[in-house]
Amino acid sequence: MKFPLIAAVALIAALPVFAQDAAPDEALPPAETDILPPGGDAPVDEIPPIADVAPDGGSPDATAIDMACTFETECNDAECASSGYQGRLTIISDGAGLAEGEWADPSETISLSAIVTNGTVLASSSGSETGKQRLLTVLPDGKARFTTHLTDPIMAITYIGSCEVAK
């Protein structure tokens, strides 16, 4: 007697699975997509400061970092010289370690993907620039390295300096 009862319950439970494709010729509603900015045009300046509180009453998971960076030394491959290169780094973090960023200097603004772990920022360009790749590392004490790798001609430019929270 238990077997027919179990079979009936199993059949009733499976009915929604069989009914999923009830209208195979019916058109699906159009998918909604957000229009994303072109590469290099991340709107980080338009993001308001984070002021929410975590559900447990603690600090929010997401953070925003705005840093001013100054690089005293510039090295083209193995040749180094003094430099006054400066720029601004903005990072918006989700609190789980993943972040989006923006580097702005007097000549350009580029979008970066970043990882923020224990106060260390490791950011890189998305590779949308043909023949260039950027890597920016900022340690918790502010020491920083910013490197551009080029393919034509093949070379690397490394800036050595520091970043601090912008005032």
Side-chain angles (χ1 to χ4, degrees), residues 102-164:
E102 181 177 88
W103 172 260
D105 65 34
S107 66
E108 66 182 340
T109 300
I110 59 172
S111 295
L112 303 169
S113 296
I115 298 171
V116 180
T117 306
N118 299 326
T120 297
V121 176
L122 183 62
S124 63
S125 62
S126 62
S128 62
E129 298 175 89
T130 304
K132 282 185 190 177
Q133 184 66 36
R134 312 288 179 84
L135 180 63
L136 175 60
T137 303
V138 182
L139 298 179
D141 65 0
K143 290 180 184 173
R145 300 292 186 270
F146 187 38
T147 304
T148 300
H149 289 252
L150 303 168
T151 59
D152 190 17
I154 188 167
M155 67 182 291
I157 303 167
T158 301
Y159 294 95
I160 302 167
S162 61
C163 296
E164 63 182 27

Side-chain angles (χ1 to χ4, degrees), residues 44-128:
V44 296
D45 291 335
E46 299 168 16
I47 297 173
I50 298 166
D52 62 335
V53 175
D56 62 359
S59 61
D61 290 337
T63 58
I65 303 168
D66 189 18
M67 303 181 98
C69 301
T70 302
F71 298 95
E72 296 83 23
T73 306
E74 174 183 333
C75 299
N76 290 315
D77 287 330
E79 292 183 29
C80 296
S82 293
S83 172
Y85 180 55
Q86 295 183 337
R88 189 174 204 96
L89 173 64
T90 304
I91 299 285
I92 305 293
S93 174
D94 67 358
L98 300 177
E100 292 295 322
E102 181 177 88
W103 172 260
D105 65 34
S107 66
E108 66 182 340
T109 300
I110 59 172
S111 295
L112 303 169
S113 296
I115 298 171
V116 180
T117 306
N118 299 326
T120 297
V121 176
L122 183 62
S124 63
S125 62
S126 62
S128 62

Side-chain angles (χ1 to χ4, degrees), residues 33-46:
T33 58
D34 293 334
I35 297 174
L36 299 175
D41 292 338
V44 296
D45 291 335
E46 299 168 16

